[in-house]
Amino acid sequence: MRILVIGSGGREHALVWKINQSKLCDKIFCAPGNAGIAQIAECVDIKADDISCLLDFAKKERIDFTVVGPEVALSFGIVDEFRKSGFKIFGPDKKAAALEASKVFSKEIMAKYKVPTASFKIFDDPDEAKKYIEQMGAPCVVKSDGLAAGKGVIVAKSIDEAKKAVTSIMQEKVFGASGNKVVIEECLQGQEASILVITDSKEVVALASAQDHKRVFDNDQGPNTGGMGAYSPAPVVTRELFKEILEKVIYRTIDGLAREGIDYRGVLYAGIMLTKDGPKTLEFNVRFGDPETQAILPRLKSDLLEVMLATAEQKLGRIRNLEWDERASVCVVCAAGGYPGNYAKGKEIFGLDKASKMKDIVVFHAGTKSRVVNDVGQRQEIEYETSGGRVLGVTGLGKDIKEAIDKTYAAVKEISFEGMHYRNDIGGKALMTNCKAQNPG
Ligand code: AMP
Ligand code: GLY
């Protein structure tokens, strides 16, 4: 089959890497891809949200199956457009993608179908929102309704901070029309876990649990990022909790959407807070998590492409169970100096080759570019340089989390570029948990 993967980050490198192992895969294109992806796929210079160009490309190249990485194209309706033209594609359609693209919609679905989540109120008037914040007190959470590149959630420690968030979202419109409405919600406490499933709206197969690390510095300090690392499985999600999350969050949401006439096909990602009152949903994403995917997929033994195809064809029932590597994985993100604020690009990356060759290590590229520096005869020498905030995701497998942590950091230490920084405590929380995580299945 001829496959097109859309996106350019670490998640897409992991998807391409895994799809490339499928016996069904003959050729992979990636739009736009990155320098790591280019080692296994043909990268094409089309933006991930340029739907008409992507569709033209799929027609021209006779693409058999398309996999969408990022949420923006999904929320613009790429799946609807591809299906209309007779192309098979993996991901939810525009209506279903609203589960991520509109926090108001997602909270309304959760409330209607009794999916456990933080208590909340929706506002379209900033003064009303601020009055409510004063009544409610701090801490509280202010969420911009629409997509805001991961920056639309403010966990406010004081009333003043929450009101300022309302001003910047609703009045200064820092995220544009995405801030026409806000959700103000109760601040939940606990450990977070990411539960991802693949569904064709009738059947559900769960992926192994994972935990992300959103803050930039060790011990969850500093501003939020796209994710500084992840590990899988997350021992805090015991077999009982996994079952409870599937029943109360995942099944209720998918069934609820079906009752609304929305047929969800693709990955459904639930961000869960494990509170003392049980698991509660923080958010839904309609795509694979980044960097959770880089931790989860190296543990998946089954053929992902086969599962994704069955999903698109609504024949997921034929996939009984996914097979998992019993080993644990850890993914550490190497970020550019300054990230998540302004950061420099174009810094040469050293040590990639050595790190990639280490046992049980995969280096996924996120924000990289390459250039040929020496092209004499048969020998091409390629140099890699940084081109994004999250530059690389180094994943290691070990017999347990401790071994995975040690192997991963040994590989990270081989890599360097000017300004590179990473967290030193990825996976640390798993070591403090006395539970044994169970693979789904
Ligand atoms: P999101 O951008 O929707 O992924 O949310 C970003 C992060 O904000 C989540 O991963 C949580 O750490 C935090 N968050 C969101 N909602 C809440 C809440 N109700 N209580 C506490 N933290 C929250
Ligand atoms: N890791 C969080 C996300 O993908 O949004």
Side-chain angles (χ1 to χ4, degrees):
M1 297 182 81
R2 293 164 69 78
I3 313 292
L4 170 63
V5 175
I6 296 172
S8 62
R11 164 184 53 207
E12 286 75 21
H13 191 183
L15 286 167
V16 167
W17 172 84
K18 183 67 189 163
I19 291 169
N20 188 47
Q21 294 165 17
S22 168
K23 58 184 182 311
L24 301 171
C25 172
D26 297 311
K27 162 113 189 151
I28 315 181
F29 296 92
C30 188
N34 63 38
I37 294 173
Q39 295 167 358
I40 31 182
E42 185 175 327
C43 292
V44 285
D45 190 16
I46 307 176
K47 290 210 173 70
D49 56 4
D50 189 345
I51 297 178
S52 69
C53 235
L54 290 165
L55 189 56
D56 285 345
F57 179 80
K59 288 177 184 163
K60 187 172 110 252
E61 288 294 339
R62 293 167 288 102
I63 297 296
D64 298 302
F65 191 54
T66 301
V67 175
V68 188
E71 63 277 13
V72 177
L74 294 168
S75 75
F76 287 171
I78 188 169
V79 169
D80 311 59
E81 293 305 315
F82 269 57
R83 283 198 196 136
K84 245 190 263 163
S85 298
F87 285 94
K88 275 189 204 149
I89 182 162
F90 179 81
D93 64 13
K94 186 173 180 169
K95 271 199 207 154
L99 207 57
E100 177 168 356
S102 167
K103 298 222 188 272
V104 168
F105 174 74
S106 130
K107 292 298 275 195
E108 283 170 343
I109 290 287
M110 287 192 254
K112 188 162 172 189
Y113 294 100
K114 304 204 163 25
V115 175
T117 187
S119 61
F120 69 101
K121 260 185 155 250
I122 294 163
F123 295 92
D124 57 12
D125 175 343
D127 296 329
E128 293 292 320
K130 288 178 193 173
K131 249 192 254 163
Y132 179 69
I133 288 169
E134 275 172 9
Q135 284 165 20
M136 190 179 168
C140 68
V141 183
V142 180
K143 297 184 170 182
S144 179
D145 178 33
L147 294 178
K151 298 202 176 103
V153 174
I154 291 94
V155 181
K157 290 199 187 74
S158 66
I159 292 181
D160 199 40
E161 192 187 349
K163 283 163 70 178
K164 280 199 182 119
V166 170
T167 305
S168 71
I169 293 171
M170 300 189 88
Q171 290 164 308
E172 291 162 7
K173 294 267 193 262
V174 289
F175 307 122
S178 151
N180 290 348
K181 290 185 185 173
V182 291
V183 177
I184 313 273
E185 64 179 43
E186 158 203 16
C187 186
L188 300 173
Q189 308 288 341
Q191 268 209 59
E192 285 184 45
S194 307
I195 300 298
L196 284 78
V197 303
I198 295 182
T199 179
D200 65 355
S201 108
K202 297 199 255 337
E203 305 288 334
V204 173
V205 292
L207 301 182
S209 61
Q211 195 174 53
D212 186 8
H213 298 64
K214 290 228 161 75
R215 303 297 190 111
V216 67
F217 301 128
D218 288 5
N219 301 314
D220 295 332
Q221 300 297 309
N224 263 331
T225 66
M228 292 297 289
Y231 64 90
S232 172
V236 66
V237 185
T238 57
R239 184 190 284 272
E240 293 70 32
L241 270 175
F242 208 114
K243 196 163 162 264
E244 188 179 349
I245 294 166
L246 286 180
E247 279 164 8
K248 294 191 180 158
V249 178
I250 301 292
Y251 301 158
R252 283 184 196 174
T253 302
I254 294 166
D255 291 346
L257 287 172
R259 282 175 198 231
E260 302 288 317
I262 298 174
D263 155 38
Y264 195 102
R265 282 187 247 173
V267 175
L268 178 61
Y269 164 138
I272 302 286
M273 187 76 93
L274 301 165
T275 75
K276 63 175 176 20
D277 303 320
K280 297 205 178 172
T281 315
L282 292 169
E283 52 150 353
F284 285 116
N285 293 321
V286 298
R287 39 141 185 107
F288 284 95
D290 190 341
E292 289 92 330
T293 308
Q294 295 90 302
I296 292 173
L297 292 187
R299 297 189 54 226
L300 179 64
K301 288 186 177 167
S302 310
D303 184 335
L304 180 67
L305 181 55
E306 201 180 324
V307 180
M308 293 199 286
L309 261 173
T311 305
E313 292 168 353
Q314 288 200 294
K315 289 183 182 144
L316 195 55
R318 72 179 181 220
I319 309 282
R320 297 232 172 273
N321 260 321
L322 299 181
E323 259 195 83
W324 295 96
D325 191 324
E326 282 300 319
R327 291 176 298 169
S329 65
V330 169
C331 171
V332 173
V333 169
C334 303
Y339 175 80
N342 291 335
Y343 53 82
K345 295 182 183 177
K347 303 292 178 196
E348 188 176 348
I349 307 170
F350 302 97
L352 272 177
D353 207 35
K354 185 157 182 210
S356 311
K357 286 185 180 137
M358 289 167 79
K359 191 164 177 300
D360 298 326
I361 294 292
V362 198
V363 179
F364 293 116
H365 290 225
T368 64
K369 263 184 14 190
S370 63
R371 58 197 162 101
V372 177
V373 284
N374 185 0
D375 197 1
V376 216
Q378 300 286 310
R379 279 176 63 90
Q380 259 199 357
E381 246 178 71
I382 293 176
E383 256 180 26
Y384 293 90
E385 60 180 48
T386 69
S387 71
R390 290 190 291 175
V391 177
L392 301 163
V394 181
T395 300
L397 287 162
K399 66 176 186 321
D400 51 23
I401 282 277
K402 168 84 179 58
E403 194 182 270
I405 291 172
D406 292 345
K407 282 188 182 170
T408 306
Y409 278 105
V412 167
K413 294 210 159 64
E414 294 297 335
I415 298 172
S416 63
F417 53 85
E418 193 188 315
M420 168 170 139
H421 66 99
Y422 56 87
R423 275 181 62 159
N424 290 288
D425 62 348
I426 305 298
K429 278 193 197 135
L431 295 179
M432 294 187 291
T433 309
N434 283 323
C435 322
K436 180 152 173 38
Q438 301 292 336
N439 283 322

